[in-house]
Amino acid sequence: MAAPSVSATLDKTAYAPGELMTLTVTYGDPDSRTLKLTIQVQDTTGGTGATVVTSAVLDSLTLIVTDSDSSRTWTKKSDTGAIAVFTAKA
Amino acid sequence: MGTVTVTVRDSSGAQGQTGVSYTTQSVGHMLLGASATSNAKKNTTSDLAEYLRLEAITGHPLEIRRTFEAAPTSWAQCKASADVGKRASFVSFKTSPDTMSGPGQEAYWRTLIESVPRGHRVYMTWQHEAENPSKNNDPAKIRAGGVKFAEYVRKYRGDRDISIAWTLMGWTFASEFSKRNPLDWYWGDDSVEVVAPDPYNTSTTKFYSYDATMVGATQAYQFAKAHGKRFGIAEMGNYDLTATNRPKFLTDGMAWLRGLKDPVCEFACWFHSDVPADDAGDYWIDSSAASLAAWVKV
């Protein structure tokens, strides 16, 4: 199993009190795979229901953001599965 | 200095980790600075030599300088370029409202914004005090121009420490007296980051404290709070009518500004000048020993 990769950038290096801080995280894992599952149900008479298609992620990733200032809360604003954006108040 | 640590973990427990550092201005610390004019009655601002003299008589470095830049083509052409490594800058640009969306404007602003050195704190505004009747501006053009200005700054500042400030006269926020509506000149919540008014006590007959409704600072602060914006004072001043007015104005005003929370007041610039060039007095911070003493203490 390969280790996941992660990099992060802030939109600025210095913030005024109350200013919005934006953290962009780029992450990935070569082991992660997305499976597409196609499901169809058939009864004993041979009748079939509508086909359902869904997906599942193998080896899914969990992102954890912590701050040396424990009073600061980071809120996830978006996450594509490869790029996540968090914001906090300076 | 703070650090954000980001950890990514897969289902087996394998993980990757990275950290990114930042600094925050401490709450309660307000940048104190000035706009300096040296030649009385000439309305010439942004004088570096006078700023340095003011700094010397203050007895410690000032932290922000207000300059007026017209239309420089790069940061190196800005008077504020002298501030890098020494103090923050509050910069006013004054390109024509008629041309903000015109050909070449985006390229012009891109060159200017991308030439600001990384790590230098800049509050940047366009067409400050646009509502001053003497300027005969069209509010719709100012609003549209401000939106374009903010768009250019956001698009090209990258990780530079540039904040988009919006500056009206303090008097305009005192709507009950001025009969003006700041919203007529507001670029909008999506464009403005810092509400940075110019509240003065310009009365030639009566003293008003900085938080008096006649000055407009209180209403400007309430405007910033209501719109979820940061706050600072781009210009301030008062006539020293009795030689005790300015010390009181300074001492009480700065205490009031430093006491503001959520948002805090990030900066305050004294307009050290004889502007407007009338006979009612001046805003020289060292016009009296008492005024200078009050300034040194704040």
Side-chain angles (χ1 to χ4, degrees), chain A residues 2 4 6 10-17 19 21 29 59-68 72 74 89, chain B residues 2-11 14-17 22-25 121 158-159 161-163 230 262 264 266:
Chain A
V6 60
L10 284 165
D11 60 327
K12 290 185 176 183
T13 56
Y15 296 90
E19 195 172 356
M21 306 170 75
D29 186 340
D59 203 12
S60 61
L61 298 174
T62 304
L63 270 180
I64 304 160
V65 176
T66 58
D67 196 307
S68 58
R72 181 162 295 111
W74 288 92
K89 197 171 179 182
Chain B
T3 303
V4 186
T5 302
V6 183
T7 305
V8 59
R9 190 174 295 151
D10 69 13
S11 52
Q15 68 178 42
Q17 194 171 70
Y22 61 86
T23 57
T24 51
Q25 187 181 325
R121 168 149 290 211
D159 60 355
D161 190 3
I162 301 173
S163 297
R230 295 154 56 202
D262 197 22
V264 299
E266 295 181 23

Side-chain angles (χ1 to χ4, degrees), chain B:
Chain B
M1 177 74 81
T3 303
V4 186
T5 302
V6 183
T7 305
V8 59
R9 190 174 295 151
D10 69 13
S11 52
S12 74
Q15 68 178 42
Q17 194 171 70
T18 188
V20 56
S21 297
Y22 61 86
T23 57
T24 51
Q25 187 181 325
S26 61
V27 173
H29 177 81
M30 181 178 75
L31 301 178
L32 179 66
S35 173
T37 305
S38 56
N39 51 339
K41 313 271 185 196
K42 293 271 179 69
N43 196 5
T44 301
T45 55
S46 315
D47 188 287
L48 179 59
E50 179 63 9
Y51 184 94
L52 295 177
R53 188 188 72 81
L54 189 59
E55 197 170 58
I57 60 176
T58 302
H60 56 78
L62 299 175
E63 299 165 294
I64 186 167
R65 188 164 76 109
R66 177 97 166 91
T67 57
F68 303 84
E69 306 281 359
T73 56
S74 72
W75 181 256
Q77 285 190 357
C78 292
K79 296 157 190 160
S81 62
D83 298 334
V84 176
K86 299 181 175 69
R87 62 192 74 86
S89 301
F90 189 113
V91 183
S92 278
F93 296 110
K94 215 169 184 176
T95 58
S96 169
D98 295 323
T99 60
M100 282 300 277
S101 300
Q105 281 299 298
E106 182 162 350
Y108 165 80
W109 287 102
R110 179 177 186 172
T111 300
L112 179 58
I113 292 159
E114 289 184 343
S115 67
V116 175
R118 285 183 167 78
H120 180 55
R121 168 149 290 211
V122 182
Y123 297 92
M124 197 176 271
T125 194
W126 172 80
Q127 286 285 344
H128 76 280
E129 294 194 9
E131 83 283 24
N132 187 325
S134 68
K135 297 178 180 176
N136 291 315
N137 279 316
D138 175 350
K141 284 185 179 178
I142 292 296
R143 289 196 304 269
V147 169
K148 292 304 289 184
F149 170 73
E151 177 190 318
Y152 298 145
V153 174
R154 285 183 195 278
K155 190 170 179 181
Y156 295 116
R157 68 183 167 188
D159 60 355
R160 292 170 187 81
D161 190 3
I162 301 173
S163 297
I164 303 165
W166 171 70
T167 297
L168 296 186
M169 304 162 75
W171 174 243
T172 298
F173 289 93
S175 298
E176 60 191 290
F177 307 108
S178 67
K179 308 302 179 192
R180 296 177 189 158
N181 184 352
L183 287 172
D184 291 343
W185 304 89
Y186 189 49
W187 306 343
D189 286 346
D190 291 339
S191 297
V192 172
E193 294 174 334
V194 185
V195 173
D198 292 351
Y200 288 84
N201 175 12
T202 56
S203 171
T204 56
T205 56
K206 189 175 177 186
F207 174 77
Y208 293 97
S209 63
Y210 203 61
D211 59 348
T213 54
M214 184 67 83
V215 174
T218 297
Q219 297 93 319
Y221 181 72
Q222 288 166 347
F223 185 100
K225 198 174 183 70
H227 289 260
K229 300 302 171 188
R230 295 154 56 202
F231 184 72
I233 299 295
E235 296 174 21
M236 63 188 293
N238 76 322
Y239 293 128
D240 203 11
L241 301 175
T242 66
T244 57
N245 290 164
R246 185 167 304 141
K248 183 166 176 52
F249 189 80
L250 264 169
T251 304
D252 294 354
M254 292 299 182
W256 179 73
L257 291 171
R258 285 201 166 97
L260 298 175
K261 301 280 185 277
D262 197 22
V264 299
C265 179
E266 295 181 23
F267 55 88
C269 300
W270 185 265
F271 201 65
H272 173 73
S273 74
D274 191 28
V275 180
D278 54 29
D279 294 323
D282 57 58
Y283 304 143
W284 302 117
I285 203 69
D286 58 342
S287 62
S288 72
S291 174
L292 178 58
W295 170 253
V296 169
K297 280 186 186 171
V298 301

